[in-house]
Amino acid sequence: MTTREGPSQPTAEGTDGRLVHRLEAPILESARLPAGYHRLVVRAPAIGAVAQPGQFLHVWCHDPTTIGTPPAAAVLRRPYSISRVWSGEAVEILLQVRGVGGRMLSGRRVGESLDLIGPLGKGFRIHDDLRTAVVVAGGSGIAPVPFLTETLVARGVRVVALVGAADDDRMPFPVDRAEPGRATLLPLEAVGAEVTFVAEAVEGKLVSEALEERLEELSGPGAEVMATGPVAMLRQVVKTAGESLPVQVSLEERMACGVGACRSCVVPVTGAEGIVYRTVCRDGPVFAGGEIAWERLGR
Amino acid sequence: MGASGTVSGPDLSVQIGSLTLKNPVMVASGIFGYGDEFRGLADYGELGALVLKTVTREPRPGNPPASRTVETPAGMVNAIGLENVGVEALVEEKLPLALSYGTAVIASIAGDTPEDFAACAEILDDTPVSAIEINISCPNVRKGGMAFGVDAWASAQVVRAVRPATRKPLIAKLTPNVTDICAIARACAAAGADAVSLVNTFSAMVVDVETRRPVLAANTGGLSGPAIRPAAVLRTFQVARAVSAPVIGMGGIWNASDALEFIIAGASAVAVGTVLFADPAAGNRVLAGIREYLVRHRLDSLQELVGSITLRDGD
Ligand SMILES: Cc1cc2nc3c(=O)[nH]c(=O)nc-3n(C[C@H](O)[C@H](O)[C@H](O)COP(=O)(O)OP(=O)(O)OC[C@H]3O[C@@H](n4cnc5c(N)ncnc54)[C@H](O)[C@@H]3O)c2cc1C
Ligand SMILES: Cc1cc2nc3c(=O)[nH]c(=O)nc-3n(C[C@H](O)[C@H](O)[C@H](O)COP(=O)(O)O)c2cc1C
Ligand code: FES
C-alpha cells in the first residue's frame, strides 16, 4: 500500500482530559451494501484503542491530499458513528448515502486514505449495575449497534436488540426470516445480541410498538434502554419506556466544527434553571432521554 | 518544530496599533470558540493571534436549534445568534486556557447599546488580552450588532464609547452588508479604532423546497467560506485605500494563495474562519505557504507585499 499512515497532525490531550486524534487512515475495505448503505473500514489504532460505543468520527469526504484546495461541495466534514472496532486496530463506519458527502465517501477505494477526527463526543454510559440493555435502533441508527453490542456483551450484559425499518429491503444487512414468525439480523446475532427485526411493511408495527409489547418482560433492576435512530422514533421510545426504565438516546444535528466550538449542533436540555442548549458533538451525541426538551427539538 | 520566533527567514511581523503580532495569520471570531475546544488538533500557538467567540455583557442563549448552520456551495450559512458565556465567564473560566497557547489572544465584544460594548471593554482592560475586536457587524441578532454596523454614525458611536474604556488596541469588525463599506471604515477609524477587520458574513437564506420553509431556525443567517472570497477581497482592497489604519482581511480563505490575495490587495493581516471546520490546521498551512512565497519572491518582509497590487489599465 502506498498510503501514508499515522497522525497527520500533532495529537494531544485537551484540558478536559479527552484524547482526540486527527489521522490519515488507510482504507482497508470499501463495500457497497444493500439499501444504499456503504461500509468503510480504516486502519486507525489510535482511535480504536480509546473509542467508546456511541462516539463518532468527523470525516473529510475528499481525498486528504486535496485539503488545500477549496471544495465546491462538501465543504464541511460529516459525522458518522463508530460502527465497529476490529481488534483495536481498525475502525468501521456504516453510512447511508443521503447526499453529496455520502456519495463521495462511497466512492472512496481501498489504497486511498480518509482524513478523520475522532473519537468525538460522549457515548453510551455503561453503568456497573447494568444487566440488560434494550437496544432500540431505527433506520441508519443501526450503525453504532454492532460496536455497542460487542462492548456490552464483553462486559457480561444481556443485549436485546429491537431493530426497525420500513421494509426488509431497507436494511444494510440481510433480514433472516428462516424461523416462522421471527425476523432477525444474523450479523447482529453474531456479535451476541438477541435480535428482533421489525419491518413496518411486514410486521405492521413500528419498533417503538414492539418495545411497548415487551416492556414489562424486559423491565427490572439493571435494565436500561439505549436508542438510536430518527427523532420521531426516539421521542416515542422515551414516551413508551421512560416511566419504567432509564433511557439513553443518541441524537443527530447538523455540525460544523464537531468539537464544541461553534455551537451549531445544540439541542434543548431541561436544566435546573430552565432550558439550556447542549452540543450534540461534545456533550452528546448520547443524552439521557429525560433531559431532552422534546417539544423544542426538531425541525 | 521550533517556535516560530526562532525560524530564520522573512520578517512576518505585523503592527496593529501598539500591538505587534509575530505573523499575520489569525483565527476569526466564532470559529474557535474560546480557544480550548480545538486543542491538540494543530499548533495554534504558532499563529499570529486567536480571536475568541464574541461575548456580550450577559450570557446569551443564541438562536433556536435545528438548524443553526447549513452547508451551501463552497460555503455555509450560519445563524448561531451570538450564543456566548458572557464577558465575566470568559475572563474567569476561558481566558487562561486560551492564553496558554502562548500567542496573542484577542477578545471580541458585542452589545445592544454602546454602553454595553464599553462595559465589556472595561472588564477586558484588566486582562492579558492583546486587543479587543468590536463586533458591530454580527448579522444574526435582531436587536444587536446589525443596527450599528450598517450605519457610519452608529458604528462610530460604538467605537467612541469603547475608546475611553480601555487602553487595548481596538479593531472594528465590519459587515459587508452595506452600500458603502468605506464610509463605515472611515467613521470607525476617525472614532479611534486602531484597525478594521472585514468581512463578517454576507446576509443569506436557504429554503427547504419540500417544506417551503427556511432551513435555519432564525430564517436568515450569514454566508461564509470560499463562496464569498472574491467579494471579500474587493472590500478589503477598497477599505485599505480608504483608511490609513491597518486592515485585517478575511472571508473564504482556504490556502496561502487566498491569503496572499487579501495581503496584496491591502490587508496587513488575515484571518481563517470556515476552513478550520474542514482543516483544523489550516492556519498553520496558510502561514507556511506565506513564508514560502516570501522566500520564493525574495522579499525580506511581509510589509513589502501589503497593498502592493498594481491595477490594470482598464478603469
Ligand atoms: C453524531 C452523528 C452520528 C451519525 N452517524 C451516522 C451513521 O453512523 N451512519 C449514517 O448513515 N449516518 C449517520 N449520521 C448522519 C450523517 O451525518 C448524515 O447522513 C450525513 O452528514 C449526510 O451528509 P450528505 O452529504 O450525504 O447529505 P446532505 O444532505 O447533502 O448533507 C448536507 C449537510 O447537512 C448535514 N446533514 C444532513 N443530514 C444530517 C444528519 N442526519 N445529521 C447531521 N447532519 C446532517 C451534512 O453533514 C451536511 O453538512 C450521523 C449524524 C450524527 C450527528
Ligand atoms: C459558525 C460561525 C460563527 C461566527 N461567529 C462570529 C462571531 O461570534 N463574531 C464575529 O465577529 N464573527 C463571527 N463569524 C464570522 C467570521 O469571524 C468571519 O468573519 C466570516 O466567517 C468570514 O470568514 P470565513 O469565510 O473565512 O469563515 C462567524 C462565522 C461562522 C461561520
Ligand atoms: S459542531 Fe460545532 S459545536 Fe457542535
Side-chain angles (χ1 to χ4, degrees), chain B residues 165-188:
Chain B
T166 177
R167 294 150 300 154
K168 307 273 186 197
L170 292 181
I171 304 163
K173 179 149 178 196
L174 309 179
T175 170
N177 303 310
V178 295
T179 312
D180 183 2
I181 197 168
C182 294
I184 316 264
R186 270 189 232 104
C188 290

Side-chain angles (χ1 to χ4, degrees), chain A residues 9-16 18 20-22 58 60 66-78 100 115 117 253-257 259-268 277 282 296-299, chain B residues 1 30-34 36-43 53 61-76 80 83 97 213 215 226 229 252 254-255 258 274-275 277-282 285:
Chain A
Q9 303 299 335
T11 294
E13 203 168 336
T15 44
D16 62 357
R18 72 178 191 158
V20 175
H21 301 270
R22 178 175 178 200
H58 218 192
W60 177 240
T66 66
I67 195 86
T69 308
V75 170
L76 300 173
R77 288 173 180 263
R78 300 293 190 261
V100 58
D115 176 342
I117 298 174
E253 199 48 74
R254 283 177 201 265
M255 295 183 179
C257 71
V259 294
C262 74
R263 311 298 300 181
S264 286
C265 64
V266 298
V267 290
Y277 293 141
R282 191 154 195 152
R296 301 254 201 134
L297 186 76
R299 293 146 216 260
Chain B
M1 212 190 306
I31 305 298
F32 201 54
Y34 306 106
D36 198 45
E37 295 87 344
F38 273 77
R39 192 177 297 274
L41 291 173
D43 178 6
K53 174 73 185 172
N63 284 328
S67 294
R68 281 181 169 188
T69 49
V70 53
E71 189 180 79
T72 53
M76 63 182 284
I80 308 296
E83 174 172 357
L97 297 173
R213 303 179 74 195
V215 172
R229 192 192 71 222
W254 200 275
N255 54 37
D258 299 344
T274 302
V275 66
F277 299 146
D279 180 8
R285 181 163 55 69

Side-chain angles (χ1 to χ4, degrees), chain A residues 20-46:
Chain A
V20 175
H21 301 270
R22 178 175 178 200
L23 305 171
E24 258 177 52
I27 298 174
L28 304 175
E29 189 186 335
S30 174
R32 184 192 294 260
L33 300 179
Y37 281 83
H38 197 90
R39 169 192 292 130
L40 281 168
V41 183
V42 297
R43 192 179 136 70

Side-chain angles (χ1 to χ4, degrees), chain B:
Chain B
M1 212 190 306
S4 59
T6 64
V7 174
S8 61
D11 176 11
L12 288 164
S13 65
V14 175
Q15 201 65 34
I16 309 240
S18 56
L19 169 68
T20 308
L21 301 181
K22 60 187 174 192
N23 66 62
V25 181
M26 318 186 3
V27 171
S29 177
I31 305 298
F32 201 54
Y34 306 106
D36 198 45
E37 295 87 344
F38 273 77
R39 192 177 297 274
L41 291 173
D43 178 6
Y44 297 107
E46 193 192 34
L47 304 183
L50 309 173
V51 187
L52 306 185
K53 174 73 185 172
T54 300
V55 292
T56 48
R57 211 165 159 173
E58 302 295 332
R60 285 194 185 175
N63 284 328
S67 294
R68 281 181 169 188
T69 49
V70 53
E71 189 180 79
T72 53
M76 63 182 284
V77 181
N78 91 82
I80 308 296
L82 281 197
E83 174 172 357
N84 78 90
V85 297
V87 65
E88 275 164 20
L90 173 83
V91 171
E92 273 151 43
E93 296 161 28
K94 309 291 186 183
L95 204 50
L97 297 173
L99 290 164
S100 72
Y101 283 115
T103 190
V105 170
I106 298 176
S108 167
I109 59 172
D112 289 338
T113 64
E115 296 75 50
D116 285 345
F117 281 86
C120 290
E122 214 174 303
I123 291 168
L124 289 162
D125 190 52
D126 279 340
T127 70
V129 299
S130 295
I132 298 174
E133 186 170 77
I134 307 173
N135 177 9
I136 50 172
S137 57
C138 184
N140 292 328
V141 180
R142 245 171 252 117
K143 277 183 8 188
M146 194 63 168
F148 300 106
V150 296
D151 181 273
W153 184 83
S155 301
Q157 198 192 18
V158 174
V159 177
R160 241 182 276 117
V162 174
R163 188 64 284 177
T166 177
R167 294 150 300 154
K168 307 273 186 197
L170 292 181
I171 304 163
K173 179 149 178 196
L174 309 179
T175 170
N177 303 310
V178 295
T179 312
D180 183 2
I181 197 168
C182 294
I184 316 264
R186 270 189 232 104
C188 290
D194 299 288
V196 294
S197 58
L198 69 153
V199 294
N200 211 314
T201 56
F202 286 81
S203 307
M205 179 186 251
V206 179
V207 178
D208 181 330
V209 297
E210 295 305 321
T211 61
R212 301 192 209 170
R213 303 179 74 195
V215 172
L216 296 173
N219 295 312
T220 63
L223 178 64
S224 66
I228 69 171
R229 192 192 71 222
V233 169
L234 171 61
R235 282 155 182 80
T236 299
F237 167 76
Q238 292 169 327
V239 168
R241 298 215 153 184
V243 296
S244 57
V247 174
I248 301 163
M250 73 190 90
I253 293 175
W254 200 275
N255 54 37
S257 166
D258 299 344
L260 288 160
E261 285 197 40
F262 282 85
I263 292 167
I264 293 165
S268 296
V270 292
V272 287
T274 302
V275 66
L276 284 195
F277 299 146
D279 180 8
N284 311 72
R285 181 163 55 69
V286 167
L287 177 58
I290 292 174
R291 189 178 280 130
E292 185 273 326
Y293 177 93
L294 292 176
V295 170
R296 187 156 49 83
H297 287 263
R298 297 196 160 72
L299 295 164
D300 293 330
S301 106
L302 178 77
Q303 288 317 307
E304 298 172 44
L305 207 56
V306 173
S308 62
I309 189 167
T310 306
L311 292 184
R312 297 163 65 104
D313 291 342
D315 61 19

Side-chain angles (χ1 to χ4, degrees), chain A residues 32-299:
Chain A
R32 184 192 294 260
L33 300 179
Y37 281 83
H38 197 90
R39 169 192 292 130
L40 281 168
V41 183
V42 297
R43 192 179 136 70
I47 291 176
V50 293
Q52 301 292 323
Q55 288 189 302
F56 69 95
L57 304 176
H58 218 192
V59 184
W60 177 240
C61 300
H62 311 258
D63 189 286
T65 58
T66 66
I67 195 86
T69 308
V75 170
L76 300 173
R77 288 173 180 263
R78 300 293 190 261
Y80 290 102
S81 306
I82 298 172
S83 184
R84 275 196 93 164
V85 174
W86 296 95
S87 359
E89 294 279 309
V91 176
E92 173 173 331
I93 60 175
L94 186 64
L95 62 100
Q96 187 184 33
V97 177
R98 290 189 212 169
V100 58
R103 257 196 316 278
M104 295 179 81
L105 286 171
S106 67
R108 306 297 308 283
R109 295 286 166 253
V110 174
E112 302 172 357
S113 49
L114 277 191
D115 176 342
L116 40 90
I117 298 174
L120 293 171
K122 297 200 174 66
F124 291 96
R125 281 67 163 174
I126 304 176
H127 303 110
D128 285 339
D129 52 2
L130 181 67
R131 294 288 165 268
T132 305
V134 184
V135 176
V136 185
S140 67
I142 187 79
V145 175
F147 183 30
L148 176 61
T149 300
E150 265 186 327
T151 307
L152 290 168
V153 168
R155 302 220 358 206
V157 177
R158 175 187 176 209
V159 177
V160 178
L162 306 177
V163 182
D167 206 343
D168 282 6
D169 63 5
R170 302 298 300 278
M171 290 304 290
F173 307 133
V175 176
D176 185 293
R177 292 184 177 278
E179 198 180 313
R182 178 169 171 271
T184 186
L185 303 166
L186 294 177
L188 278 191
E189 289 201 349
V191 289
E194 299 164 32
V195 186
T196 303
F197 176 71
V198 186
E200 198 188 343
V202 182
E203 272 75 22
K205 63 185 170 202
L206 298 168
V207 69
S208 52
E209 293 168 305
L211 171 68
E212 195 168 4
E213 288 168 13
R214 296 193 54 191
L215 196 58
E216 219 181 287
E217 164 215 336
L218 294 169
S219 296
E224 203 165 328
V225 175
M226 301 178 178
T228 76
V231 169
M233 184 206 93
L234 298 176
R235 195 189 312 239
Q236 205 49 47
V237 166
V238 171
K239 220 181 237 172
T240 304
E243 303 276 292
S244 359
L245 289 175
V247 180
Q248 299 182 47
V249 295
S250 179
L251 296 178
E252 294 184 1
E253 199 48 74
R254 283 177 201 265
M255 295 183 179
C257 71
V259 294
C262 74
R263 311 298 300 181
S264 286
C265 64
V266 298
V267 290
V269 163
T270 311
E273 289 138 45
I275 304 279
V276 291
Y277 293 141
R278 294 268 179 265
T279 56
V280 168
C281 69
R282 191 154 195 152
D283 303 315
V286 179
F287 294 89
E291 68 180 334
I292 301 297
W294 294 97
E295 71 287 354
R296 301 254 201 134
L297 186 76
R299 293 146 216 260

